[in-house]
């Protein structure tokens, strides 16, 4: 089945920060299109008697008390950072 | 053409908790960079968020204080975007089911004069939702540095309806929210520490038009006066643009409080497409009546409610009340002193004039002040009872601010008490004064009331200037009116 017209693969790729080749664009358009078609089918099911839910399980109010635990040592926290300076993670400049 | 501005504010308030909203590492300001992180905050693989109960309590309490409906059921959503301040590449927030709906903020606009109460208005709220704060970016010439200490701090976003029309209203709105949150113990709302942050949506339209104009989002309003100045600037800018035949472009602008100018923020993040969806890692929250009732009982009296009560119950002038009520601790302090002294107006005057002046001059704070409400009450009683004259009482005040001694002790030690020590001696001086001034006596007896002043100088001289004019007057009248 062809991908639905509302699927803009360039936009989706941009939001995901992915640079796709023309071949990948075609491939992912097909796959994402199949997902959308599947959702379309699900949308046809009559759910008028079913309460909407944000979660698969009817479990509510899961929380912890507000008690602070020790933090990660800073050298451990930064171990995966590709670059660091002054105990902070270096990233490309994000404002002009 | 006359234009009116339409302003809506989005106010972010950091909730004062011990730990973060979805992780149990400590939360706080002013720590060394990246020392308040854990695997959940850093979004390391396999970690799961767990809600902080205290953050929920705080936002519900805030909602109750502002008259919101508390949703019986709410959930958490992921707001997806890439930015280095967000370790997960999404922010956990609330999209279509916020925890608080509606509500309003009472504001007071500047009055016609400083000593007159201004107009009160109620600014309607759209919603309050709970979310997590992001990390902090520090920008340098060639790169940016990320500190995740702030990431995951509980944050609530208070969204107003586009219902304000002037920069003064926005200023009053923020002032009121700030005081309310401090009263409720929800946040310290220190804007310098980022605990209170404000973005404004501003548009203008011809007066009488009901459709909203193109809105501009003004960011970086990082002090309450910048909010007022930034909004005023933006309104002027939009009016000037339309009047010169230009158009308003929908954009985000950054206000620089130092230069007083805003400029367009050209960011790649401008095309917002957040693809919100429910966060499968967090369970929805149900709030029942018992929970609400428990928090309702914890809600303090709001600043304006307190002001109305103070003015009515203690008969204090508006000016004094408006200094007191914006500071919860100061207003509680006043109330204690008012009750202990039985003279609320005098207590209010000492606190607002002398105490605040000394605290300001010594760069101290009410918290560490050695002068407590009991000191104020004793001082008021000494003055009221005539044992201390005003000038002497001021001297006692300064000494007691420095030493913390009770006013009676200082007055005795420094011989500042009004003379004489006992009523018998004063009466004796008064008798002598009357005997020494037969002319004044006959004048007084024939109805010339001011003739009484003829005796007072004599008595005051005998008392070496330390007698209470009020007591002298009373004693003289008692003697003069008694059958001789």
């Amino acid at each position: 089945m062809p991908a639905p017209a509302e699927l803009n693969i360039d936009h989706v790729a941009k939001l995901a920060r992915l640079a796709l080749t023309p071949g990948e664009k075609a491939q992912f358009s097909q796959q994402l299109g199949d997902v959308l078609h599947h959702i379309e089918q699900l949308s046809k099911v009559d759910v008028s008697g079913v309460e909407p839910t944000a979660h698969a399980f009817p479990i509510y109010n899961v929380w912890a008390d507000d008690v602070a635990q020790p933090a990660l040592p800073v050298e451990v926290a930064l171990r995966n950072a590709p670059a660091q300076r002054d105990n902070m993670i270096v990233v490309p400049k994000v404002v002009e | 053409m006359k234009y009116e501005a339409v302003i809506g504010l989005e106010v972010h308030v950091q909730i004062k908790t011990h730990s973060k909203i979805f992780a149990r590492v400590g939360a706080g300001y002013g720590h060394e960079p990246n020392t308040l992180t854990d695997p959940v905050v850093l979004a390391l693989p396999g970690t799961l968020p767990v809600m902080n109960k205290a953050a929920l309590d705080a936002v519900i309490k805030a909602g109750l204080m502002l008259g919101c409906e508390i949703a019986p059921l709410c959930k958490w959503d992921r707001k997806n975007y890439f930015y280095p301040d967000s370790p997960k590449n999404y922010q956990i927030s609330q999209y279509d089911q916020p925890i608080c709906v509606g509500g309003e903020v009472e504001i007071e606009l500047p009055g016609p004069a400083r000593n007159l109460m201004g107009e009160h208005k109620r600014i309607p709220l759209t919603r309050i939702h709970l979310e997590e704060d992001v990390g902090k970016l520090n920008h340098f010439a060639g790169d940016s540095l990320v500190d995740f200490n702030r990431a995951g701090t509980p944050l609530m976003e208070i969204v107003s309806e586009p219902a304000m029309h002037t920069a003064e209203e926005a200023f009053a709105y923020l002032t009121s929210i700030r005081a309310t949150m401090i009263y409720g113990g929800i946040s310290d709302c220190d804007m310098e520490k980022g605990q209170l942050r404000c973005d404004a949506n501003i548009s203008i339209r011809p007066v009488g038009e009901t459709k909203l104009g193109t809105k501009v989002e003004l960011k970086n309003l990082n002090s309450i006066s910048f909010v007022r100045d930034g909004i005023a600037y933006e309104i002027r800018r939009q009016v000037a643009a339309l009047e010169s035949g230009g158009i308003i472009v929908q954009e985000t602008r950054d206000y620089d409080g130092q230069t007083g100018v805003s400029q367009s923020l050209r960011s790649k993040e401008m095309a917002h497409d957040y693809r919100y969806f429910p966060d499968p890692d967090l369970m929805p929250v149900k709030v029942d009546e018992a929970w609400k009732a428990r928090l309702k009982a914890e809600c303090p009296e709001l600043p304006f409610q307190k002001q109305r009560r103070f003015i009515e119950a203690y008969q204090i002038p508006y000016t004094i009340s408006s200094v007191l009520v914006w500071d919860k601790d100061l207003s509680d302090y006043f109330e204690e002193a008012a009750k202990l002294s039985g003279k609320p107006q005098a207590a209010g005057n000492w606190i607002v004039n002398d105490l605040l002046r000394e605290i300001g001059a010594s760069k101290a704070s009410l918290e560490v002040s050695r002068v407590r409400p009991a000191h104020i009450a004793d001082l008021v009683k000494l003055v009221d009872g005539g044992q201390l004259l005003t000038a002497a009482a001021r001297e006692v005040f300064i000494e007691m601010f420095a030493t913390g001694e009770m006013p009676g002790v200082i007055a005795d030690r420094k011989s500042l008490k009004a003379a004489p020590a006992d009523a018998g001696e004063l009466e004796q001086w008064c008798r002598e004064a009357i005997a020494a001034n037969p002319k004044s006596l006959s004048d007084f007896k024939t109805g010339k009331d001011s003739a009484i002043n003829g005796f007072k100088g004599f008595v005051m001289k005998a008392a070496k200037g330390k007698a209470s004019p009020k007591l002298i007057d009373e004693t003289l009248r008692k003697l003069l009116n008694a059958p001789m």
Side-chain angles (χ1 to χ4, degrees):
Chain A
M1 219 186 288
E6 66 267 25
L7 176 63
N8 179 345
I9 194 68
D10 291 322
H11 182 59
V12 174
K14 191 180 163 206
L15 288 174
R17 302 291 190 274
L18 294 174
L20 300 181
T21 63
E24 285 168 331
K25 280 185 193 175
Q27 183 190 0
F28 294 136
S29 290
Q30 179 68 47
Q31 290 177 355
L32 286 174
D34 288 348
V35 172
L36 289 177
H37 285 304
H38 184 65
I39 298 291
E40 256 170 44
Q41 281 196 302
L42 287 177
S43 300
K44 287 176 189 150
V45 179
D46 179 11
V47 290
S48 51
V50 182
E51 206 178 314
T53 177
H55 211 277
F57 304 105
I59 301 170
Y60 303 91
N61 298 4
V62 178
W63 52 54
D65 288 334
D66 181 29
V67 180
Q69 306 289 338
L72 276 184
V74 62
E75 62 278 8
V76 177
L78 298 182
R79 201 160 58 189
N80 289 333
Q84 52 175 282
R85 188 169 77 239
D86 300 334
N87 282 341
M88 287 183 275
I89 299 164
V90 180
V91 296
K93 202 178 170 194
V94 284
V95 291
E96 319 261 292
Chain B
M1 193 182 288
K2 289 283 280 180
Y3 291 95
E4 77 165 354
V6 179
I7 304 159
L9 293 188
E10 290 168 15
V11 177
H12 284 96
V13 177
Q14 274 187 357
I15 297 170
K16 193 166 56 170
T17 50
H18 301 294
S19 64
K20 297 200 177 186
I21 184 168
F22 301 122
R24 293 297 76 79
V25 62
Y29 178 85
H31 296 260
E32 287 297 311
N34 291 307
T35 55
L36 292 178
T37 74
D38 71 1
V40 177
V41 169
L42 294 174
L44 298 184
T47 54
L48 287 172
V50 179
M51 173 60 72
N52 182 343
K53 174 74 170 6
L56 281 171
D57 282 338
V59 71
I60 295 170
K61 192 172 166 189
L64 291 171
M65 289 173 79
L66 296 174
C68 306
E69 288 293 323
I70 308 302
L73 176 73
C74 66
K75 67 175 172 73
W76 272 263
D77 300 282
R78 292 185 180 181
K79 178 181 180 179
N80 299 279
Y81 66 96
F82 288 97
Y83 209 61
D85 62 10
S86 167
K88 295 191 294 296
N89 294 331
Y90 60 83
Q91 179 191 24
I92 301 175
S93 182
Q94 295 192 294
Y95 180 53
D96 56 347
Q97 288 182 28
I99 190 160
C100 304
V101 181
E104 60 185 20
V105 175
E106 182 177 2
I107 67 167
E108 179 184 350
L109 295 171
R114 265 200 80 205
N115 60 342
L116 296 173
M117 188 184 284
E119 184 194 353
H120 281 231
K121 283 188 175 180
R122 291 175 185 276
I123 306 298
L125 295 178
T126 312
R127 58 188 276 170
I128 305 175
H129 66 254
L130 188 57
E131 59 188 26
E132 57 179 338
D133 209 341
V134 295
K136 182 149 179 41
L137 290 168
N138 301 284
H139 304 295
F140 294 90
D143 53 22
S144 298
L145 300 182
V146 192
D147 174 9
F148 285 127
N149 282 352
R150 196 177 67 182
T153 303
L155 193 66
M156 53 186 176
E157 182 172 336
I158 304 172
V159 184
S160 84
E161 290 285 296
M164 287 169 268
H165 301 290
T166 64
E168 284 297 346
E169 286 185 357
F171 178 82
Y173 172 86
L174 204 57
T175 306
S176 180
I177 285 193
R178 185 169 177 272
T180 304
M181 295 302 137
I182 295 173
Y183 262 58
I186 289 159
S187 175
D188 294 332
C189 290
D190 186 335
M191 289 188 87
E192 276 181 24
K193 295 179 182 169
Q195 292 163 345
L196 176 72
R197 310 199 286 270
C198 179
D199 298 335
N201 289 307
I202 305 157
S203 62
I204 60 167
R205 63 186 174 192
V207 171
E209 171 66 62
T210 51
K211 222 174 86 213
L212 289 171
T214 305
K215 75 172 180 190
V216 167
E217 188 181 10
L218 200 57
K219 282 192 174 292
N220 220 358
L221 300 167
N222 50 17
S223 83
I224 291 195
S225 51
F226 285 179
V227 171
R228 176 166 54 192
D229 300 348
I231 290 172
Y233 171 86
E234 181 58 24
I235 294 169
R236 287 197 304 274
R237 189 191 69 83
Q238 292 188 16
V239 170
L242 290 189
E243 281 179 344
S244 63
I247 54 157
I248 307 298
V249 186
Q250 178 160 356
E251 61 180 345
T252 300
R253 295 179 73 87
D254 188 73
Y255 180 70
D256 183 339
Q258 302 307 323
T259 60
V261 170
S262 73
Q263 58 177 355
S264 187
L265 211 62
R266 278 176 238 284
S267 159
K268 287 176 198 158
E269 295 304 311
M270 281 300 292
H272 291 321
D273 185 348
Y274 293 127
R275 295 146 292 148
Y276 282 96
F277 65 87
D279 192 314
D281 293 341
L282 287 159
M283 295 300 173
V285 166
K286 279 185 175 171
V287 184
D288 62 15
E289 292 304 318
W291 189 358
K292 275 194 283 184
R294 185 173 59 73
L295 290 169
K296 186 82 193 167
E298 285 179 17
C299 289
E301 182 181 37
L302 296 182
F304 286 123
Q305 293 167 343
K306 192 175 227 175
Q307 183 170 32
R308 284 186 277 268
R309 182 170 62 81
F310 275 9
I311 289 174
E312 192 174 321
Y314 298 123
Q315 302 284 308
I316 55 170
Y318 165 77
T319 322
I320 298 280
S321 75
S322 61
V323 175
L324 294 173
V325 296
W326 292 103
D327 182 332
K328 181 171 189 292
D329 293 340
L330 187 66
S331 60
D332 290 343
Y333 182 103
F334 159 76
E335 191 149 29
E336 200 181 331
K339 284 180 179 157
L340 287 172
S341 68
K343 298 275 172 189
Q345 292 195 29
N349 280 327
W350 281 110
I351 292 167
V352 167
N353 298 320
D354 300 81
L355 180 64
L356 290 187
R357 181 195 63 233
E358 292 305 314
I359 285 177
S362 62
K363 304 219 186 322
S365 66
L366 184 66
E367 206 182 344
V368 301
S369 165
R370 289 177 168 149
V371 176
R372 306 315 307 167
H375 292 78
I376 302 277
D378 275 16
L379 188 64
V380 167
K381 283 182 193 163
L382 287 172
V383 173
D384 192 57
Q387 292 109 299
L388 271 182
L389 302 187
T390 311
R394 292 227 165 89
E395 204 177 328
V396 168
F397 190 96
I398 288 168
E399 184 71 9
M400 107 184 154
F401 186 83
T403 65
E405 289 171 286
M406 293 308 280
V409 175
I410 296 168
D412 285 339
R413 178 161 57 76
K414 304 190 81 172
S415 306
L416 288 168
K417 271 206 177 141
D422 71 89
E425 195 175 11
L426 181 64
E427 210 173 296
Q428 180 56 36
W429 290 337
C430 288
R431 283 184 202 284
E432 287 167 15
I434 294 167
N437 291 281
K439 170 92 173 56
S440 296
L441 178 63
S442 64
D443 285 352
F444 186 82
K445 286 289 181 190
T446 53
K448 194 177 167 203
D449 193 71
S450 65
I452 196 167
N453 294 326
F455 311 117
K456 287 182 182 170
F458 183 97
V459 181
M460 197 56 105
K461 204 173 158 199
K464 299 188 176 66
K466 287 197 219 164
S468 154
K470 189 175 151 221
L471 268 187
I472 295 175
D473 188 78
E474 281 170 12
T475 310
L476 281 169
R477 282 181 195 279
K478 191 182 81 188
L479 293 173
L480 290 166
N481 291 328
M484 294 235 168

